[in-house]
Amino acid sequence: MPTRPPRVPGQPENRRYRACFWDGGAMNMWTEVVEVLYGGQAVRSPLSPPNNARERFLMKTTRLLLTACAAVVCAFSVTPARAGLSFVQSFGSRGSGSGQFNAPYRVAADSAGNVYVADHDNNHIDAFNVSNFSGTFTAYGGGTQVYGSGVFNGPQGVTVDSSGNVYVADVYNDRIDRFIPSDFVNTLRSYGSTGSGSGRFHSPTDVAVDSSGNVYVADFSNSRVDMFNPSNFAATFTTFGTAGSGIGQFNNPQGLTVDGAGNVYVADENNSRIVRFNTSDFTGTFTTFGSSGFGSGQFNFPFDVVVDPAGNVYVADQYNQRIVTFNPANFAGTFTTFGSGQGSGNGQFNNPTGLALDGLGNLFVSDSSNNRIVELSGVVTEPASAALLLTGGALLALRRRRS
C-alpha cells in the first residue's frame, strides 16, 4: 500500500523537506533527491534523473512511485531544506530611555514574540514584544553599576527557559541571576561568586538552559564552560575545559547554546572557532569548526552561536560583520553568510554579538554597535529527520505537486 512519512504530533503540515531514497544493500548505495511537503502530502519531480537502470522510477502527472527489488531494504529519510536568511525589521536606537539600548550584547526570544536583551552599558535587561515594541518595552534591574541585589553590573548574556524564567550572565558581578518578569524583585535569585574554584565564575559572558533545567555558563576569564542545576547549585556544579587551543580547551569562550540532544556549542572567541561537545563524554565528543580569517569556513572572533531544530548552526561572526550558517555534517559544503558588510543599513551589521531563535522561523541579532536588535527570517523550524524503513519489494508512493 502507498505509505507516507509519519506526521509529528503538534507540528503543522506543508513544510518543505528534502527526501533521499537509497537501497542500502547489494545493489550499491544510490541516492535520489526530491522535495516534498511535510507529511508526504506532495513532492516535486526528482531534482536529477535516475543515474542507473536499477533505480526504477515511474513518474506520472500526479504520482511518483519508487519500487524496490525484493529482499532489499529501502530507507526513507526526511531532512528540512535549508532556507536563506532575509532582513525583516530592526528595533531600538542608542540611549538610556524607553525603546533605547546602549551596547546590547545578547538577546533571547520565545515563541510568544517576547524578546529579552542584555543591555550591557545600561545595566539592565530589556524586554519587549515584537507586535508592539514601544508599548511593551520594559527594563529590569536598574541602571547603576553596583553589586547589590536587584541590579546588574554589565549584563552580557540572557536566556529564557520553557517556564518563563529569565537567566542573566551578570558579567562584572561574577554571577548568574534568575528572575520571572512578572515578579522581578521577589523571584530574583543569584548563583556564584568571584573566583576559579567550584561554584565560582570569572566574567561569565553567556548562559543557556537545557530541557532538564541544567544551566550552562560561558566562564570567559576562566576559559571553561560551567554547568549546574539551580535545585542544588553547589552539588551539581561541574566544569569543562582548560585554557588553550587544543582538544578540551578554550580561549575565552564567549557565547554558548545547547541543542535538543544535549550537545553544547561554544563560540570560542579568541580561538576563532566553534566548539561542540557532549557533557557525557567531553573530550571524546570535542569537535571544532573553523579557523581564524575572513573567508569561507573562517571566523573573526565569533561572539555567539545558536542551533535550529534541524541542526543548522548560526554564528555571530563579530568582526567579519556577518551571520554565518553551517551544518556540522558538512561544514565546508554548507558554510554560508548573511550580511553586506559593516554599516547601519538593512542587511548590514556593526559588531553582531548575540543571536536568538524564537521557534517560528525568526532569528534575532544583537547589532551591538548599532544599538539595535535586528530580526531576520528564513530559519528552519522542523526537526532534522524522520525515517521509515520498507523491506521486501516495498512500494513507496507519494503524491506529486502540480507545477
PDB file of all heavy atoms in Angstrom, residues 5 8 22 40 56 79 123 176 200 206 211 285 305 316 336 338 375:
ATOM      1  N   PRO A   5       5.450   9.422   5.069  1.00  0.00           N
ATOM      2  CA  PRO A   5       6.164   9.642   6.324  1.00  0.00           C
ATOM      3  C   PRO A   5       5.193  10.009   7.433  1.00  0.00           C
ATOM      4  O   PRO A   5       4.195  10.691   7.196  1.00  0.00           O
ATOM      5  CB  PRO A   5       7.105  10.822   6.016  1.00  0.00           C
ATOM      6  CG  PRO A   5       7.183  10.864   4.526  1.00  0.00           C
ATOM      7  CD  PRO A   5       5.880  10.355   4.034  1.00  0.00           C
ATOM      8  N   VAL A   8       4.442  14.367  12.620  1.00  0.00           N
ATOM      9  CA  VAL A   8       4.826  14.599  14.011  1.00  0.00           C
ATOM     10  C   VAL A   8       3.690  15.330  14.718  1.00  0.00           C
ATOM     11  O   VAL A   8       3.267  16.397  14.276  1.00  0.00           O
ATOM     12  CB  VAL A   8       6.116  15.449  14.099  1.00  0.00           C
ATOM     13  CG1 VAL A   8       6.484  15.701  15.542  1.00  0.00           C
ATOM     14  CG2 VAL A   8       7.250  14.745  13.369  1.00  0.00           C
ATOM     15  N   TRP A  22      17.450   5.343  -0.845  1.00  0.00           N
ATOM     16  CA  TRP A  22      18.580   4.511  -1.195  1.00  0.00           C
ATOM     17  C   TRP A  22      18.298   3.057  -0.851  1.00  0.00           C
ATOM     18  O   TRP A  22      17.471   2.760   0.000  1.00  0.00           O
ATOM     19  CB  TRP A  22      19.850   4.990  -0.507  1.00  0.00           C
ATOM     20  CG  TRP A  22      19.864   4.893   0.978  1.00  0.00           C
ATOM     21  CD1 TRP A  22      20.311   3.855   1.737  1.00  0.00           C
ATOM     22  CD2 TRP A  22      19.415   5.897   1.898  1.00  0.00           C
ATOM     23  NE1 TRP A  22      20.177   4.141   3.071  1.00  0.00           N
ATOM     24  CE2 TRP A  22      19.624   5.379   3.196  1.00  0.00           C
ATOM     25  CE3 TRP A  22      18.853   7.171   1.746  1.00  0.00           C
ATOM     26  CZ2 TRP A  22      19.285   6.103   4.340  1.00  0.00           C
ATOM     27  CZ3 TRP A  22      18.533   7.872   2.884  1.00  0.00           C
ATOM     28  CH2 TRP A  22      18.739   7.354   4.154  1.00  0.00           C
ATOM     29  N   GLY A  40       4.229  14.143   3.712  1.00  0.00           N
ATOM     30  CA  GLY A  40       4.114  13.374   2.498  1.00  0.00           C
ATOM     31  C   GLY A  40       2.958  13.801   1.620  1.00  0.00           C
ATOM     32  O   GLY A  40       2.515  13.054   0.740  1.00  0.00           O
ATOM     33  N   ARG A  56      14.453   2.261 -10.341  1.00  0.00           N
ATOM     34  CA  ARG A  56      13.226   2.228 -11.120  1.00  0.00           C
ATOM     35  C   ARG A  56      12.260   3.294 -10.649  1.00  0.00           C
ATOM     36  O   ARG A  56      11.741   3.206  -9.547  1.00  0.00           O
ATOM     37  CB  ARG A  56      12.570   0.849 -11.014  1.00  0.00           C
ATOM     38  CG  ARG A  56      13.422  -0.254 -11.600  1.00  0.00           C
ATOM     39  CD  ARG A  56      12.651  -1.550 -11.609  1.00  0.00           C
ATOM     40  NE  ARG A  56      13.406  -2.594 -12.246  1.00  0.00           N
ATOM     41  CZ  ARG A  56      12.972  -3.838 -12.414  1.00  0.00           C
ATOM     42  NH1 ARG A  56      11.771  -4.172 -12.002  1.00  0.00           N
ATOM     43  NH2 ARG A  56      13.732  -4.733 -12.997  1.00  0.00           N
ATOM     44  N   THR A  79      14.823  15.389   5.511  1.00  0.00           N
ATOM     45  CA  THR A  79      15.639  16.454   6.062  1.00  0.00           C
ATOM     46  C   THR A  79      15.111  17.801   5.585  1.00  0.00           C
ATOM     47  O   THR A  79      14.885  17.981   4.403  1.00  0.00           O
ATOM     48  CB  THR A  79      17.102  16.327   5.623  1.00  0.00           C
ATOM     49  OG1 THR A  79      17.582  15.038   6.024  1.00  0.00           O
ATOM     50  CG2 THR A  79      17.960  17.394   6.261  1.00  0.00           C
ATOM     51  N   ASN A 123      23.031  48.566  32.015  1.00  0.00           N
ATOM     52  CA  ASN A 123      22.970  47.742  33.228  1.00  0.00           C
ATOM     53  C   ASN A 123      21.570  47.235  33.558  1.00  0.00           C
ATOM     54  O   ASN A 123      21.187  47.175  34.723  1.00  0.00           O
ATOM     55  CB  ASN A 123      23.549  48.507  34.426  1.00  0.00           C
ATOM     56  CG  ASN A 123      25.021  48.781  34.249  1.00  0.00           C
ATOM     57  OD1 ASN A 123      25.828  47.859  34.129  1.00  0.00           O
ATOM     58  ND2 ASN A 123      25.372  50.053  34.177  1.00  0.00           N
ATOM     59  N   ILE A 176      25.397  34.370  38.081  1.00  0.00           N
ATOM     60  CA  ILE A 176      24.258  34.124  37.218  1.00  0.00           C
ATOM     61  C   ILE A 176      23.000  34.490  37.997  1.00  0.00           C
ATOM     62  O   ILE A 176      22.814  34.045  39.141  1.00  0.00           O
ATOM     63  CB  ILE A 176      24.196  32.650  36.769  1.00  0.00           C
ATOM     64  CG1 ILE A 176      25.471  32.261  36.020  1.00  0.00           C
ATOM     65  CG2 ILE A 176      22.958  32.400  35.915  1.00  0.00           C
ATOM     66  CD1 ILE A 176      25.743  33.078  34.773  1.00  0.00           C
ATOM     67  N   ARG A 200      32.248  29.102  41.442  1.00  0.00           N
ATOM     68  CA  ARG A 200      32.722  30.466  41.204  1.00  0.00           C
ATOM     69  C   ARG A 200      32.866  30.744  39.707  1.00  0.00           C
ATOM     70  O   ARG A 200      33.136  29.842  38.907  1.00  0.00           O
ATOM     71  CB  ARG A 200      34.064  30.691  41.915  1.00  0.00           C
ATOM     72  CG  ARG A 200      33.962  30.600  43.434  1.00  0.00           C
ATOM     73  CD  ARG A 200      35.321  30.737  44.100  1.00  0.00           C
ATOM     74  NE  ARG A 200      35.226  30.634  45.550  1.00  0.00           N
ATOM     75  CZ  ARG A 200      35.027  31.662  46.359  1.00  0.00           C
ATOM     76  NH1 ARG A 200      34.930  32.894  45.857  1.00  0.00           N
ATOM     77  NH2 ARG A 200      34.943  31.493  47.662  1.00  0.00           N
ATOM     78  N   ASP A 206      27.902  34.394  29.015  1.00  0.00           N
ATOM     79  CA  ASP A 206      26.670  33.892  28.413  1.00  0.00           C
ATOM     80  C   ASP A 206      26.128  32.743  29.235  1.00  0.00           C
ATOM     81  O   ASP A 206      26.859  32.113  30.022  1.00  0.00           O
ATOM     82  CB  ASP A 206      26.899  33.442  26.969  1.00  0.00           C
ATOM     83  CG  ASP A 206      25.608  33.382  26.159  1.00  0.00           C
ATOM     84  OD1 ASP A 206      24.581  33.917  26.636  1.00  0.00           O
ATOM     85  OD2 ASP A 206      25.609  32.816  25.059  1.00  0.00           O
ATOM     86  N   SER A 211      16.615  21.292  28.431  1.00  0.00           N
ATOM     87  CA  SER A 211      15.237  20.906  28.719  1.00  0.00           C
ATOM     88  C   SER A 211      15.063  20.308  30.109  1.00  0.00           C
ATOM     89  O   SER A 211      13.941  20.200  30.609  1.00  0.00           O
ATOM     90  CB  SER A 211      14.751  19.902  27.667  1.00  0.00           C
ATOM     91  OG  SER A 211      15.585  18.748  27.645  1.00  0.00           O
ATOM     92  N   THR A 285      33.886  13.758  22.561  1.00  0.00           N
ATOM     93  CA  THR A 285      32.961  14.387  21.610  1.00  0.00           C
ATOM     94  C   THR A 285      33.390  15.792  21.223  1.00  0.00           C
ATOM     95  O   THR A 285      32.683  16.468  20.471  1.00  0.00           O
ATOM     96  CB  THR A 285      31.549  14.448  22.212  1.00  0.00           C
ATOM     97  OG1 THR A 285      31.581  15.219  23.437  1.00  0.00           O
ATOM     98  CG2 THR A 285      31.010  13.059  22.501  1.00  0.00           C
ATOM     99  N   VAL A 305      26.440  31.800  19.324  1.00  0.00           N
ATOM    100  CA  VAL A 305      26.066  30.668  18.493  1.00  0.00           C
ATOM    101  C   VAL A 305      24.708  30.140  18.942  1.00  0.00           C
ATOM    102  O   VAL A 305      24.413  30.117  20.137  1.00  0.00           O
ATOM    103  CB  VAL A 305      27.145  29.555  18.574  1.00  0.00           C
ATOM    104  CG1 VAL A 305      27.356  29.083  20.010  1.00  0.00           C
ATOM    105  CG2 VAL A 305      26.813  28.389  17.667  1.00  0.00           C
ATOM    106  N   ALA A 316      27.297  34.443  15.232  1.00  0.00           N
ATOM    107  CA  ALA A 316      27.529  35.885  15.145  1.00  0.00           C
ATOM    108  C   ALA A 316      29.027  36.088  14.955  1.00  0.00           C
ATOM    109  O   ALA A 316      29.806  36.060  15.913  1.00  0.00           O
ATOM    110  CB  ALA A 316      27.039  36.586  16.410  1.00  0.00           C
ATOM    111  N   THR A 336      27.566  29.239   4.752  1.00  0.00           N
ATOM    112  CA  THR A 336      27.002  30.389   4.048  1.00  0.00           C
ATOM    113  C   THR A 336      27.002  31.597   4.969  1.00  0.00           C
ATOM    114  O   THR A 336      27.046  31.466   6.192  1.00  0.00           O
ATOM    115  CB  THR A 336      25.566  30.125   3.556  1.00  0.00           C
ATOM    116  OG1 THR A 336      24.749  29.783   4.688  1.00  0.00           O
ATOM    117  CG2 THR A 336      25.523  28.988   2.556  1.00  0.00           C
ATOM    118  N   PHE A 338      25.431  35.743   5.786  1.00  0.00           N
ATOM    119  CA  PHE A 338      24.451  36.802   5.559  1.00  0.00           C
ATOM    120  C   PHE A 338      25.022  38.094   6.112  1.00  0.00           C
ATOM    121  O   PHE A 338      25.509  38.137   7.239  1.00  0.00           O
ATOM    122  CB  PHE A 338      23.117  36.489   6.248  1.00  0.00           C
ATOM    123  CG  PHE A 338      22.119  37.602   6.134  1.00  0.00           C
ATOM    124  CD1 PHE A 338      21.308  37.720   5.018  1.00  0.00           C
ATOM    125  CD2 PHE A 338      21.996  38.566   7.136  1.00  0.00           C
ATOM    126  CE1 PHE A 338      20.393  38.757   4.898  1.00  0.00           C
ATOM    127  CE2 PHE A 338      21.090  39.604   7.032  1.00  0.00           C
ATOM    128  CZ  PHE A 338      20.285  39.696   5.905  1.00  0.00           C
ATOM    129  N   GLU A 375      15.770  41.681  13.335  1.00  0.00           N
ATOM    130  CA  GLU A 375      15.020  40.448  13.120  1.00  0.00           C
ATOM    131  C   GLU A 375      15.232  39.963  11.691  1.00  0.00           C
ATOM    132  O   GLU A 375      15.043  40.712  10.735  1.00  0.00           O
ATOM    133  CB  GLU A 375      13.529  40.669  13.376  1.00  0.00           C
ATOM    134  CG  GLU A 375      12.684  39.411  13.183  1.00  0.00           C
ATOM    135  CD  GLU A 375      11.189  39.657  13.364  1.00  0.00           C
ATOM    136  OE1 GLU A 375      10.822  40.801  13.712  1.00  0.00           O
ATOM    137  OE2 GLU A 375      10.409  38.718  13.145  1.00  0.00           O
TER     138      GLU A 375
END
